[in-house]
Amino acid sequence: MNELAARLEVAPTTVSLMVSELSRPGVLQRTADPADRRRRIVAIAPAYAAPIGEWLSGSASAWECVMRGLNPAERATVITALHAYEAALEQAGDRHRNAQLR
């Protein structure tokens, strides 16, 4: 999870939450790493790979178009807002998990 979090540039707890939520309906699959049984490999389930790839390519193109039109200060504002959004989601997830434990 730490490696995936670093690659996605989000907090490990955010990745853990996302992977758990997407694993329940079978969108993501977690398997043991044959080289190191302590590690888990997270992959998109084959049935979802093509639709997700299509969706991501459109999204990536749109983000590239939007970000290309911004000056450096505007891009920094977008990134700051996204980090604040991520932190708020993480806090909401923490509150949800704590409420479930009670």
Side-chain angles (χ1 to χ4, degrees), residues 23-82:
S23 294
R24 279 188 209 110
V27 175
L28 293 181
Q29 296 175 331
R30 289 187 267 197
T31 57
D33 182 343
D36 181 351
R37 304 297 283 176
R38 295 169 296 176
R39 291 179 44 148
R40 296 281 173 243
I41 297 172
V42 177
I44 297 170
Y48 292 91
I52 289 173
E54 289 173 31
W55 177 73
L56 286 175
S57 67
S59 180
S61 296
W63 272 111
E64 182 182 357
C65 181
V66 168
M67 296 299 271
R68 191 180 324 116
L70 301 178
N71 66 45
E74 292 169 328
R75 282 194 293 275
T77 299
V78 170
I79 298 302
T80 299
L82 290 172

Side-chain angles (χ1 to χ4, degrees), residues 76 85-86 97:
Y85 176 71
E86 176 194 10
R97 280 188 300 284

Side-chain angles (χ1 to χ4, degrees), residues 2-39:
N2 290 335
E3 184 179 329
L4 186 55
R7 291 182 68 186
L8 294 172
E9 298 181 18
V10 298
T13 53
T14 301
V15 170
S16 182
L17 251 169
M18 291 176 1
V19 169
S20 292
E21 290 297 317
L22 292 169
S23 294
R24 279 188 209 110
V27 175
L28 293 181
Q29 296 175 331
R30 289 187 267 197
T31 57
D33 182 343
D36 181 351
R37 304 297 283 176
R38 295 169 296 176
R39 291 179 44 148

